[in-house]
Every structure is written in C-alpha cells, then in structure tokens.
Amino acid sequence: MLIDESKRQAWEFTTEKVPIRNSYGTEPMDQGRLIPNAFQVRKTAEFGHEHLGICGNQYEILEHRDVISTIESALDSMGLKGFKRNVRLLGTNGSRMVATYDLKDEITKDVKTGDPIGFRLEARNAYDGFWRYHMVGGGLRVVCLNGMVGLDRESQVGWSGKHTRSLDIGEAKDEIQKLVKLFNLDVLKMEQMAEKTFSQVQGLNLLEHLTKKLQKDAKKDSTLFQHLSAIWEAPTYVQDGSPTGTRNLWQSFNCATQHTRDVERGDTNSKNQPRWEQSDKQRIGISRFYNGLLRDSNKFQAALEPALLEDRKKTRSVVKAG
C-alpha cells in the first residue's frame, strides 16, 4: 500500500539499494544472475519502488531528508533560525534535490547604492550520480529576489562529498561559516561593480558579450539576448538606473540575474530540460563572466565594444540566397 503523500513532504521518502540481476535467457521462475558491483537505488515499498539511480558497491545511501536535517541542525546551532526553506525535486522520480534557504532576514549587507543583499544557501543531493551532496552560497538581491549568484568561485561549492561517508553537523556548520565569509567578499565586489560606469549603448554591447559566454553560436535575435536587452532597456527597479543616464556594471549584473530568475520560474524549455537546471547553468556562467570583468580591466574595456553578433534571420537569408 502506498503511503498517503498528504501526510508527508514529497522529499521525505525513504530509499534502498538492491542488487541488479540479469534475467536474460533464464527460466520464468529464475531471478537471474547477479551483476557484479551493480545496484539499483530505489524508493522503498511504501513509496512504490520507484527507480532513482544505479550505483556501485561502495555507494552509501544518503537520504534527502538527512541532508536537510543536518543543514538545519547546523543553522540552529549557529542561531540562524529565521530562514525560509524551499525544496525542489528534479531528475527521475525526485532523484535530485535542491533545498534552498533564504537568510535575508538574518544575514544582509548593503551595497553602496543602497541595495540590500541577503545571504542564500542551497543544499544539493542526488541518487543518480548527477552531483555529489554539497552546499552552494551566494547573494540574493532583496528588492527583487533575483536568481542567486556567488561571485567567488569557491562560494559555488562547499561541504562536498561522495555518498561513501556519513554527514557531520560540525563540518556542515564550518562550511556554512566559510560560505558566509565568502558572501561578505562578494558584497565588496558588488560595490566595485557600482563604480564601473558606462553608457546605455555600451551596456548593450556588454550584454552581447555575455550572450556569447552563455550560449553556443549566439545570435543577436536569440531569445536570450532579446530578454536581456529588454530588461536593460526598461529597468524594473529604480536602483537599476535609466536608459537616458549613466549606467554601471552592478546594474548590468542585476539585469543578468533578473533574467535567470525569470528563466527559473518556468517549467521546462524546448529541450525538455527543467528550467531550474538551465537557470543554474546560466548563473555559473554569469558569475564567471562578471568576475572576469572585475579582475581584468582590459577585458572590461573590450566588453564595452560591440560583440558583432549576427542575426539568425540574416544568416538564414544569406544561406537561402546562396
């Protein structure tokens, strides 16, 4: 009998690891031969024995709920009790989990522009080998709750490990403290962004370069660039300036993260990829792009020049004419 899902959170299912057998060519009652070092990770009987992944002998099951429990015990021991948690299940039958903790009421820093940035923590786990269990830290713009981005590459992964050992609350606490320190450094970088100014047109050029960074064979009439440029041309928030005034790199960064927030709000894209995964991939690219502009003044100046993106429509017309 299946468990009543209404009495439990969707991520609270239990799992088991069972040997995989090869029954090809066997008699009807024969269970088949065991395949060496091959196991299936599946939900237990009360959750319908749904498939989650394939693993080897050394793999130890780490339940989604145990990751969440460890994180929240660590936060509690740090006195960070005012968080808001959201759990997203991805993959086959919930084989991947992302637990998001918004701590903007607990840990907030102001960028020089008067923009408050709150700390966000993500804990991830997977039964299908897509990723190891790990935490990710970053900043969340309070005024609009844009997609979280960490500017320091180290802030993108903490408390990472294989499914071969148990979790430790003390270790999780140490890693959270490390991610908070990196968040403070990120805020300093955001302040530096606000000091890098340029014109409205140069800002569009910069977004063309970002599009090339995020998209293979990028085109000027691609959905990605069209969405970025629409946000840039008509800022949603007062803090993001005006198309008729001087703009800055912090505003451009917020344009990009606003785009990832909008992407994440969808379900799937044309390739049937979950929108969250698409948004997460773009957030990493955005982090590296803007971090690079901060580190290298020559790269920053080059990004203000046109990227010379072609229009997809013009490319098609040339091919047809040929």
Side-chain angles (χ1 to χ4, degrees):
M1 181 178 178
L2 295 180
I3 197 164
D4 185 357
E5 291 288 348
S6 65
K7 297 180 181 180
R8 231 181 250 198
Q9 298 285 345
W11 47 266
E12 290 187 291
F13 59 81
T14 53
T15 60
E16 61 186 4
K17 175 177 151 184
V18 296
I20 296 177
R21 296 175 179 270
N22 182 1
S23 59
Y24 180 77
T26 60
E27 297 296 327
M29 300 300 293
D30 190 344
Q31 292 185 348
R33 296 180 180 179
L34 288 173
I35 300 176
N37 197 32
F39 296 82
Q40 178 194 30
V41 181
R42 67 184 186 186
K43 296 181 181 179
T44 53
E46 61 180 333
F47 293 96
H49 277 160
E50 291 180 327
H51 174 79
L52 296 169
I54 303 296
C55 67
N57 185 54
Q58 292 186 330
Y59 180 93
E60 295 294 335
I61 289 179
L62 179 58
E63 305 276 9
H64 291 337
R65 60 183 184 176
D66 290 339
V67 173
I68 289 174
S69 175
T70 302
I71 294 289
E72 295 183 4
S73 295
L75 290 172
D76 185 70
S77 70
M78 297 169 67
L80 300 174
K81 301 180 181 181
F83 58 79
K84 294 181 180 179
R85 180 233 292 151
N86 177 61
V87 179
R88 185 187 301 268
L89 292 177
L90 303 166
T92 303
N93 301 318
S95 58
R96 305 169 200 158
M97 180 275 297
V98 180
T100 302
Y101 295 89
D102 283 343
L103 293 122
K104 60 184 178 66
D105 295 330
E106 300 274 353
I107 303 174
T108 303
K109 296 284 185 180
D110 265 351
V111 176
K112 285 183 179 179
T113 54
D115 243 342
I117 305 298
F119 179 64
R120 173 179 275 187
L121 182 72
E122 285 182 355
R124 305 180 185 184
N125 188 47
Y127 298 114
D128 60 2
F130 187 78
W131 53 49
R132 300 177 176 186
Y133 71 83
H134 65 280
M135 289 189 296
V136 180
L140 184 71
R141 195 182 189 200
V142 175
V143 68
C144 57
L145 301 182
N146 278 2
M148 181 191 79
V149 177
L151 285 170
D152 192 303
R153 188 169 297 183
E154 289 183 62
S155 69
Q156 294 171 15
V157 178
W159 191 56
S160 177
K162 294 181 179 180
H163 282 226
T164 56
R165 62 187 181 94
S166 59
L167 300 178
D168 180 84
I169 294 175
E171 184 181 348
K173 179 180 175 181
D174 290 343
E175 289 297 328
I176 293 172
Q177 290 173 334
K178 172 186 173 183
L179 292 173
V180 170
K181 289 180 180 178
L182 290 170
F183 163 73
N184 292 333
L185 294 177
D186 278 351
V187 173
L188 294 177
K189 291 182 179 180
M190 293 170 186
E191 291 175 352
Q192 294 172 20
M193 285 184 179
E195 296 172 355
K196 289 185 174 292
T197 60
F198 42 79
S199 70
Q200 171 74 7
V201 173
Q202 288 175 316
L204 284 173
N205 294 340
L206 192 148
L207 292 177
E208 285 191 26
H209 286 278
L210 174 61
T211 301
K212 289 181 68 175
K213 173 72 175 180
L214 299 180
Q215 193 173 65
K216 185 179 179 181
D217 298 325
K219 303 297 181 185
K220 198 165 186 176
D221 56 346
S222 68
T223 302
L224 173 58
F225 180 72
Q226 292 299 315
H227 191 206
L228 287 169
S229 60
I231 297 172
W232 183 250
E233 294 277 14
T236 309
Y237 307 97
V238 175
Q239 293 91 332
D240 290 331
S242 167
T244 60
T246 301
R247 310 297 296 273
N248 61 56
L249 195 61
W250 170 239
Q251 294 168 351
S252 176
F253 177 75
N254 285 318
C255 170
T257 57
Q258 184 175 334
H259 162 76
T260 64
R261 181 201 65 186
D262 295 344
V263 169
E264 187 173 330
R265 286 175 174 173
D267 295 321
T268 58
N269 56 21
S270 59
K271 297 181 181 178
N272 204 34
Q273 179 189 33
R275 287 288 189 178
W276 183 90
E277 293 184 6
Q278 180 185 5
S279 175
D280 184 56
K281 184 178 180 181
Q282 289 184 353
R283 289 201 305 261
I284 294 174
I286 288 168
S287 170
R288 292 173 178 171
F289 177 77
Y290 284 92
N291 218 5
L293 299 186
L294 280 176
R295 288 197 312 265
D296 190 333
S297 59
N298 291 329
K299 186 178 291 186
F300 170 67
Q301 290 300 325
L304 300 181
E305 300 297 325
L308 302 179
L309 289 181
E310 294 181 345
D311 281 349
R312 186 182 291 107
K313 294 177 181 178
K314 289 184 178 180
T315 304
R316 287 173 179 169
S317 63
V318 169
V319 172
K320 186 178 289 186

